[in-house]
Amino acid sequence: MPKSILAVNAGSSSVKITFYTLENPPRTIADASISGITAPPPTLKYQKGDKKHKEEVKEKLSTPQDTFKYLLQRCFSDPDLSEVASVDDLEYICHRVVHGGDYRDAVEINDETLDRLKGLEDLAPLHNFSALEIVRLCRVELPKVRSITFFDSAFHQTIPEAVRTYPINQEIAKANGLRKYGFHGISYSFILRSVAQFLNKPIEKTNLVVLHIGSGASICAIKDGKSVDTSMGLTPLAGLPGATRSGSIDPSLVFHYTNEAGKLSPASTSEMHISTAEDILNKQSGWKALTGTTDFSQIAVENPTSKAHKLAFDIFVDRIQGYIGSYYVKLNGELDGVVFAGGIGEKSALLRRTLVDKCQCLGLAIDDVANDKGPGDEETVKDISKGSSKGPRVLVCQTNEQFEMAYHCACSRS
Ligand SMILES: Nc1ncnc2c1ncn2[C@@H]1O[C@H](COP(=O)(O)OP(=O)(O)O)[C@@H](O)[C@H]1O
Ligand SMILES: CC(=O)OP(=O)(O)O
Ligand SMILES: [Mg+2]
């Protein structure tokens, strides 16, 4: 039996895994995910080819490690999934780790790299903890399978110094690694390659403004195939608002919000320390704070159910519009396309239409029928620009972080 690749995308409230064949390009064997870990009961979703399955999980899954173990066992014990019946069928496990500090590329986990990643945990406790817990578990329980970590931040190592530097004391900044890193880079790498191929352009000549907008949202300016700016910063909190994140605010605001800002948050554990300020701005803000829901499909509707829903939509549009304008100028107006991706970017025709209308002065125009229809299941990139438009293309890309990791894993081997 040929060996396979397992790609793991662990978030704070969900763990998604995908099995791929170990070939170039890899083919999907099956997808499985558990969401709602922080809002029980968790839901298991499972897909192999056309077969889809969804169920409530009865077991108590309180940690990312428990969740990952449960998912793996379910897949191994499924008679329909004979390609991956045990750990012996796995050659590689690819892990999405959001913060990779100064790492420029993916790394294989060994004692030394795991130690270096531990050092980064303080910089991104909220985002790296779940993924690294699963990396640690794999080291102990699946020691024969090679673990490779891929970093969201690696794609943005090309951001110029003046863009990545915060105007603060540079000795302190350097000693503590305080700079713009940027995230969603695994996704941006997938989108760049897919869009360049779609436009029939070499990657190194492709200029794009890409929106990865899901529960976490960011935007990236790509010049000649390289990231030159992105909206997230030292952590994924900066830039655009998200499901529970405030996005950029005046940094002083938090000290007016609570005088407990610097204290440890009750959400901290013995292994993970986060401040009250980080907890409020990362987990108690965004759409959830404004409207009570984290689901943007309830906000992006023609007739919003409340003024707060309408306000949340308008805030998101305003912030994105600001970045598109800024990145258009940074790219000297020479862009091939504006790309919508992530759960919201791929699914909300209303958000795309509203934004494109607001960016008409940049020559953006869409075809309403193509926009309303969106991309088909098998369509990675769809052009939704108006036929007569001479401006940058408006595209939708169904991004796939798990595939991107498996693809690089398979490429580096062949
Ligand atoms: N039809 C839709 N319209 C607007 N937003 C949607 C729609 N469908 C899903 N979404 C949003 O996409 C988000 C998920 O984005 P996704 O990128 O898949 O997740 P994550 O950021 O957790 O990786 C959901 O929280 C929901 O707000
Ligand atoms: C970096 C980040 O915000 O990731 P996600 O969108 O998966 O939460
Ligand atoms: Mg995501």
Side-chain angles (χ1 to χ4, degrees):
M1 177 80 66
K3 292 246 180 181
S4 10
I5 304 175
L6 170 63
V8 187
N9 189 347
S12 46
S13 68
S14 70
V15 178
K16 302 177 200 164
I17 65 172
T18 309
F19 293 96
Y20 294 95
T21 55
L22 181 50
E23 60 187 321
N24 193 0
R27 270 183 309 110
T28 307
I29 301 169
D31 256 321
S33 69
I34 290 186
S35 53
I37 307 167
T38 46
T43 311
L44 168 79
K45 278 194 204 150
Y46 171 92
Q47 176 161 11
K48 188 191 175 203
D50 295 339
K51 270 201 222 155
K52 287 188 186 172
H53 176 81
K54 190 174 168 182
E55 72 183 41
E56 228 176 61
V57 178
K58 303 275 181 301
E59 280 81 348
K60 191 170 169 281
L61 301 173
S62 42
T63 67
Q65 291 190 332
D66 289 349
T67 312
F68 175 72
K69 267 204 253 185
Y70 180 88
L71 265 176
L72 210 56
Q73 268 325 313
R74 275 302 298 260
C75 293
F76 285 161
S77 60
D78 190 322
D80 282 344
L81 247 183
S82 53
E83 296 94 326
V84 278
S86 84
V87 120
D88 296 335
D89 294 321
L90 299 179
E91 180 91 27
Y92 295 100
I93 305 184
C94 304
H95 303 263
R96 175 181 173 222
V97 175
V98 165
H99 212 308
D102 293 330
Y103 275 117
R104 304 188 81 87
D105 279 307
V107 289
E108 180 156 357
I109 289 295
N110 53 36
D111 291 341
E112 189 210 320
T113 49
L114 194 59
D115 233 32
R116 248 183 97 177
L117 290 181
K118 228 186 199 163
L120 283 176
E121 251 174 314
D122 269 356
L123 209 55
L126 222 46
H127 299 90
N128 278 17
F129 181 72
S130 307
L132 289 177
E133 281 286 276
I134 295 173
V135 171
R136 283 187 274 268
L137 175 90
C138 291
R139 286 266 286 167
V140 177
E141 297 209 358
L142 295 79
K144 292 208 188 103
V145 191
R146 294 166 68 182
S147 269
I148 320 278
T149 47
F150 290 78
F151 305 109
D152 260 26
S153 48
F155 184 78
H156 302 292
Q157 293 289 353
T158 47
I159 291 181
E161 190 180 12
V163 179
R164 67 167 189 259
T165 305
Y166 292 121
I168 54 169
N169 179 309
Q170 288 303 290
E171 258 174 50
I172 296 177
K174 292 222 161 67
N176 296 308
L178 307 181
R179 65 166 176 92
K180 176 182 284 214
Y181 290 90
F183 303 97
H184 289 140
I186 299 169
S187 171
Y188 288 130
S189 163
F190 176 91
I191 294 166
L192 172 63
R193 194 179 61 255
S194 308
V195 169
Q197 193 177 22
F198 181 85
L199 296 175
N200 221 353
K201 286 196 81 165
I203 288 179
E204 60 285 0
K205 292 202 172 129
T206 303
N207 297 342
L208 302 170
V209 170
V210 184
L211 290 77
H212 176 112
I213 47 179
S215 334
S218 76
I219 176 161
C220 181
I222 297 177
K223 185 173 165 52
D224 299 330
K226 294 194 173 74
S227 169
V228 291
D229 201 355
T230 191
S231 55
M232 286 179 170
L234 170 69
T235 76
L237 179 60
L240 298 172
T244 60
R245 292 178 217 168
S246 64
S248 289
I249 48 148
D250 182 331
S252 304
L253 177 148
V254 69
F255 302 106
H256 296 262
Y257 189 113
T258 168
N259 49 21
E260 308 265 287
K263 296 202 177 133
L264 269 190
S265 138
S268 295
T269 64
S270 52
E271 298 102 30
M272 185 184 68
H273 303 141
I274 53 169
S275 67
T276 299
E278 285 177 297
D279 192 64
I280 291 170
L281 297 177
N282 279 286
K283 294 183 172 176
Q284 302 173 39
S285 302
W287 321 136
K288 174 97 171 138
L290 289 170
T291 66
T293 180
T294 53
D295 181 1
F296 205 76
S297 67
Q298 293 181 32
I299 295 167
V301 288
E302 296 283 356
N303 297 303
T305 48
S306 76
K307 276 191 178 165
H309 285 68
K310 166 93 174 75
L311 179 62
F313 184 81
D314 291 347
I315 290 175
F316 202 34
V317 169
D318 171 73
R319 303 305 189 266
I320 298 176
Q321 186 191 10
Y323 277 108
I324 295 179
S326 158
Y327 289 174
Y328 183 88
V329 175
K330 286 193 178 200
L331 295 176
N332 204 23
E334 292 159 5
L335 61 161
D336 301 301
V338 171
V339 188
F340 288 87
I344 303 175
E346 291 162 31
K347 298 202 184 87
S348 179
L350 179 66
L351 184 87
R352 295 192 296 255
R353 173 157 44 83
T354 311
L355 270 167
V356 169
D357 276 356
K358 291 207 175 252
C359 297
Q360 275 178 40
C361 63
L362 308 180
L364 303 185
I366 47 170
D367 178 300
D368 281 325
V369 176
N371 180 46
D372 286 345
K373 199 157 164 247
D377 278 351
E378 299 301 319
E379 218 170 1
T380 304
V381 181
K382 183 180 173 98
D383 190 341
I384 57 165
S385 327
K386 201 174 198 138
S388 56
S389 164
K390 298 259 183 306
R393 303 281 84 200
V394 183
L395 305 160
V396 183
C397 178
Q398 303 201 74
T399 190
N400 192 334
E401 289 156 326
Q402 280 103 293
F403 177 85
E404 188 62 16
M405 295 191 283
Y407 175 79
H408 284 284
C409 192
C411 282
S412 64
R413 205 178 151 265
S414 46

